[in-house]
Amino acid sequence: MKRTGPTNYVIRKTIRILRKTARQYKAKIWRYVAELLERPSRRRVVVNVSKINRYARENEVVVVPGKVLGAGTIDKPVVVAAIAFSRSAIEKIKASGGRVLHILDLINENPRGSGVRIII
């Protein structure tokens, strides 16, 4: 069977822009995020807020190439960029003083990808 990739238009557009930015700015981090987003839906990344709290430092920029769920707590301000968020995850991240972004918004802010941590 021929491999087709994601059928969601937003994810396809995000992958295309990630690859273009990676080539333009020689930022390998965006190419890696695009590869993680191209995975089949059953292998897509899902991260809880508690894992972000465990591995991210205060005021750090974190990329989750998938969905962020609201299980657990977060007690430090962190900028989190992902494809999708649950409602409880958005509330918890904002309550701790952090920011919630789509990956494309983060690319516009930081096209070189410096100081960004990927959490899988």
Side-chain angles (χ1 to χ4, degrees):
M1 182 180 264
K2 184 179 176 185
R3 191 167 168 218
T4 59
T7 56
N8 184 339
Y9 176 75
V10 175
I11 294 177
R12 285 193 345 234
K13 181 180 176 184
T14 304
I15 291 169
R16 198 168 46 245
I17 292 172
L18 282 166
R19 291 190 183 280
K20 181 180 177 184
T21 307
R23 275 192 314 272
Q24 186 176 0
Y25 292 97
K26 295 180 177 55
K28 293 180 183 177
I29 188 168
W30 299 132
R31 187 178 56 195
Y32 181 60
V33 171
E35 289 171 6
L36 292 172
L37 284 174
E38 278 185 322
R39 287 179 169 180
S41 60
R42 66 184 177 276
R43 291 187 56 216
R44 199 142 308 136
V45 176
V46 178
V47 174
N48 285 314
V49 170
S50 61
K51 189 171 189 179
I52 294 172
N53 190 44
R54 199 174 323 130
Y55 292 112
R57 291 187 220 110
E58 199 167 312
N59 297 318
E60 189 171 33
V61 179
V62 174
V63 172
V64 177
K67 186 169 186 171
V68 178
L69 301 178
T73 60
I74 187 164
D75 56 4
K76 48 189 146 190
V78 179
V79 177
V80 182
I83 290 294
F85 294 89
S86 69
R87 183 173 290 126
S88 60
I90 292 172
E91 292 169 0
K92 289 179 181 183
I93 293 168
K94 287 185 177 180
S96 70
R99 288 175 47 205
V100 175
L101 301 170
H102 190 273
I103 292 178
L104 292 176
D105 297 331
L106 181 63
I107 290 173
N108 291 334
E109 287 182 15
N110 186 0
R112 297 206 182 279
S114 57
V116 175
R117 178 179 293 203
I118 299 174
I119 295 186
I120 301 175

